[in-house]
Amino acid sequence: MKIKAAFVLGLVFVSQVILSLDLCQASDSFTVTGVIDGETIRLFDGEKVRLIGIDVPASFQNVKLCEDIRNTGKDALTLMTVGKNAGQFLRELIGNETVVLEYDAVEKEKSGRQWAYVYFYLDPHLNMEIPEKWYTELSPGTGERQLRVFLNATMIRAGYAQMKIIPPNVKYQELFSKLQEEAKEQKRGLWGPSAPSADPQ
């Protein structure tokens, strides 16, 4: 996985927030076989999963792009660049990775596509100082551990997506709001003066 060490710390920040949250609704692990766009992944069984609570700009000219322009005040080229970079960013993070899904009040759209909060794990042997409390033990008693990252939150924090809460799926509304404000303050991605590179700094 090609992620710069400085950005890994940013991902781990989101992990720290999430480690104390209840995952009683989490499903089994699934392997990702494809990234459709910056907010939708495909699992090994062909199931499409949309990340709850985020909205990535359109990556080509369509009706949604017009809505994105109205909602953000950004020009079409910037928005399409962010949308394309979001997909690339997501591929770099979770291409062929194992993920865990957590559901909210509504698990599927009318079209049948799943809605989920998606988590993945980072290599525990990263050559960097990371506080012990940020790890999660995979198999109690074995000492096997990894860093868990909350993908939906990471996309917002990196500036590749806006928060989009659709009731009744509101479980992480407060967290997403805080991370979006942080992205705006730091002028990351969508909130920057120009379209970002897909390579996290």
Side-chain angles (χ1 to χ4, degrees):
M1 188 182 299
K2 299 178 181 178
I3 306 176
K4 293 182 180 179
F7 194 75
V8 169
L9 284 177
L11 298 177
V12 171
F13 165 83
V14 177
S15 299
Q16 180 190 21
V17 174
I18 296 305
L19 286 178
S20 62
L21 299 176
D22 182 16
L23 279 179
C24 61
Q25 289 182 292
S27 73
D28 294 331
S29 297
F30 297 93
T31 300
V32 176
T33 58
V35 172
I36 297 170
D37 55 38
E39 59 192 30
T40 312
I41 61 176
R42 181 182 289 107
L43 305 180
F44 74 98
D45 59 359
E47 187 80 44
K48 295 178 183 178
V49 179
R50 183 168 185 278
L51 279 61
I52 300 175
I54 75 169
D55 181 48
V56 171
S59 58
F60 55 92
Q61 292 186 357
N62 57 17
V63 174
K64 184 179 184 304
L65 179 62
C66 296
E67 296 173 1
D68 292 337
I69 291 171
R70 284 195 301 271
N71 293 336
T72 65
K74 297 286 185 177
D75 63 272
L77 180 59
T78 294
L79 290 170
M80 288 189 291
T81 301
V82 172
K84 289 174 183 175
N85 287 345
Q88 183 179 337
F89 178 73
L90 197 53
R91 287 182 191 94
E92 290 178 357
L93 285 178
I94 61 166
N96 299 315
E97 292 290 332
T98 297
V99 296
V100 174
L101 306 184
E102 178 190 4
Y103 304 106
D104 208 331
V106 176
E107 296 183 15
K108 289 197 173 185
E109 297 176 327
K110 292 180 180 178
S111 66
R113 183 173 57 173
Q114 283 191 347
W115 270 333
Y117 301 108
V118 181
Y119 300 84
F120 72 102
Y121 295 92
L122 291 175
D123 185 346
H125 305 296
L126 293 168
N127 186 24
M128 55 197 303
E129 293 292 327
I130 298 176
E132 191 73 23
K133 67 181 179 179
W134 290 0
Y135 287 92
T136 181
E137 193 168 11
L138 295 179
S139 304
T142 66
E144 188 180 358
R145 59 185 192 159
Q146 283 183 305
L147 290 164
R148 185 176 64 205
V149 177
F150 188 11
L151 191 56
N152 309 51
T154 297
M155 294 299 289
I156 294 173
R157 185 173 189 266
Y160 285 104
Q162 296 184 80
M163 176 180 78
K164 185 175 182 180
I165 302 298
I166 303 175
N169 291 344
V170 299
K171 185 182 293 188
Y172 296 120
Q173 181 172 357
E174 184 177 347
L175 172 63
F176 290 177
S177 179
K178 288 179 180 177
L179 294 177
Q180 180 163 290
E181 286 307 307
E182 178 189 331
K184 287 181 177 180
E185 289 172 7
Q186 298 297 320
K187 301 188 185 314
R188 297 187 190 122
L190 179 63
W191 313 110
S194 61
S197 165
D199 185 22
Q201 300 297 318

